């Protein structure tokens, strides 16, 4: 893909992410119209807004370049190697509670490799943008992982999927805390990855997460100098599994504690 082609897609993703975030915020204002449903587990919620926002995103991304889209709610539009992987509202459980920790996440994968990531968090007014070889920014300013500043006081977010037994999540939290690693769980994997990229945390781990949660954040963390496990190994883009993202100096310690993620 040429630089202009990648640059044009970054510009499109920024516009679409911003407009999608505005649409989701507008729909949240009428709680009674959200039509909240659960997808099996009571902690796995979906709303009319998720679907409406994804339909908007797909229409815009399809129209401009003819790329295909894989989304959390509507699935995959085609088999092109030029594929957007999107979460219209990541952190839906927070969103329905009017908790500000949710975002729109748009990742672009070319022949199985994530090369563009755009994440828009309207409540915090933060827009994260990254493309392969061009660094990562927050609201236009460069961002970097924490380095080894917190070697003795690491802070790691641990995500938990409703599709896995809670015991695995608790086991990971216990192992980290017994190793003097402080943990958090904030409910949006995409935003969890942006905080690794900005250095606000030193790592994000989750035992079972979906491609639309991590496609954009993977590019943002890597372009901010961080390590991300090979979630899209072999170019497989529609598979869920474990992820480990961190400042490089913490990688060995985390892998020793929770294993090396393999998808
Ligand atoms: C969320 C993920 C997060 C996970 C949550 C939830 P959703 O995605 O981003 O990593 O821990 O349980 O699945 O469902 O809000 O789009």
């Amino acid at each position: 893909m040429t630089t202009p082609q990648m640059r044009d897609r970054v510009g499109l993703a920024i516009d679409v992410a911003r407009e999608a975030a505005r649409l989701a915020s507008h729909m949240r204002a009428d709680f009674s119209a959200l039509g909240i449903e659960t997808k099996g587990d009571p902690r796995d919620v979906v709303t009319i807004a998720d679907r409406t926002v994804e339909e908007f995103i797909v229409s815009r991304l399809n129209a401009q370049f003819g790329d295909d889209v894989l989304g959390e709610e509507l699935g995959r539009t085609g088999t092109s190697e030029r594929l957007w992987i999107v979460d219209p509202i990541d952190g839906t459980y927070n969103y329905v509670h009017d908790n500000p920790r949710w975002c729109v996440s748009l990742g672009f994968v070319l022949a199985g490799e994530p090369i563009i990531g755009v994440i828009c968090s309207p409540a915090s007014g933060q827009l994260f943008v990254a493309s392969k070889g061009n660094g990562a920014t927050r609201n236009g300013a460069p961002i970097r992982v924490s380095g080894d500043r917190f070697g003795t006081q690491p802070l790691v977010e641990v995500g938990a999927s409703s599709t896995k037994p809670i015991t695995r999540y608790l086991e990971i939290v216990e192992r980290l805390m017994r190793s003097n690693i402080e943990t958090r769980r904030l409910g949006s994997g995409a935003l969890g990855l942006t905080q690794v990229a900005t250095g606000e945390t030193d790592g994000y781990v989750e035992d079972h997460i979906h491609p639309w949660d991590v496609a954009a954040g993977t590019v943002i963390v890597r372009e901010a100098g961080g390590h991300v496990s090979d979630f899209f190994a072999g170019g497989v883009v529609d598979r869920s599994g474990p992820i480990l993202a961190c400042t490089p100096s913490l990688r060995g310690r985390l892998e020793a504690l929770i294993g090396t993620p393999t998808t």
Side-chain angles (χ1 to χ4, degrees):
M1 178 171 284
T2 65
T3 300
Q5 288 172 322
M6 186 150 76
R7 187 175 56 237
D8 290 348
R9 281 177 170 81
V10 170
L12 171 66
I14 290 170
D15 290 346
V16 171
R18 281 174 166 157
E19 290 177 52
R22 276 195 293 270
L23 175 58
S25 299
H26 174 74
M27 294 186 76
R28 179 59 189 79
D30 184 357
F31 178 77
S32 64
L34 283 181
I36 301 170
E37 299 174 2
T38 61
K39 296 190 276 189
D41 186 292
R43 293 183 292 130
D44 193 5
V45 297
V46 62
T47 72
I48 292 172
D50 291 84
R51 297 188 180 100
T52 302
V53 173
E54 188 168 323
E55 286 167 355
F56 164 78
I57 291 169
V58 170
S59 67
R60 289 289 308 278
L61 295 180
N62 262 164
Q64 184 112 3
F65 299 109
D67 299 338
D68 278 323
V69 183
L70 167 61
E72 178 173 9
E73 311 307 340
L74 304 177
R76 185 164 180 172
T77 63
T79 58
S80 168
E81 67 171 16
R82 302 187 323 277
L83 181 67
W84 293 91
I85 303 180
V86 306
D87 194 337
I89 300 175
D90 184 58
T92 304
Y93 206 87
N94 291 337
Y95 174 80
V96 299
H97 283 78
D98 210 14
N99 176 307
R101 194 163 178 88
W102 61 270
C103 65
V104 175
S105 180
L106 309 180
F108 180 73
V109 173
L110 180 63
E113 180 188 9
I115 61 171
I116 295 172
V118 173
I119 293 174
C120 182
S121 167
S124 66
Q126 296 184 109
L127 178 71
F128 299 91
V129 180
S131 57
K132 185 177 179 181
N134 298 303
T137 60
R138 171 174 52 188
N139 295 347
I143 53 178
R144 295 296 291 178
V145 293
S146 58
D148 57 6
R149 286 200 300 270
F150 300 102
T152 55
Q153 299 98 10
L155 174 59
V156 173
E157 182 173 353
V158 183
S161 166
S162 56
T163 60
K164 288 289 218 181
I166 197 168
T167 48
R168 177 59 177 153
Y169 165 73
L170 296 174
E171 179 189 340
I172 293 172
V173 169
E174 180 177 12
R175 286 189 183 186
L176 297 188
M177 295 189 75
R178 287 187 183 280
S179 179
N180 298 321
I181 296 176
E182 185 64 25
T183 65
R184 301 284 185 274
R185 181 183 179 225
L186 300 170
S188 165
L191 287 179
L193 293 175
T194 65
Q195 289 202 312
V196 175
T198 61
E200 292 167 278
T201 68
D202 306 294
Y204 184 92
V205 298
E206 186 160 338
D207 189 39
H208 187 81
I209 197 168
H210 302 299
W212 40 82
D213 298 322
V214 303
T218 291
V219 184
I220 293 167
V221 171
R222 287 175 175 161
E223 288 300 318
H227 163 74
V228 184
S229 55
D230 192 8
F231 186 90
F232 296 97
V236 177
V237 296
D238 51 1
R239 171 183 55 198
S240 301
I243 194 167
L244 185 157
C246 62
T247 184
S249 59
L250 194 57
R251 177 183 177 182
R253 188 172 168 193
L254 288 178
E255 290 182 345
L257 286 167
I258 61 174
T260 302
T262 53
T263 45

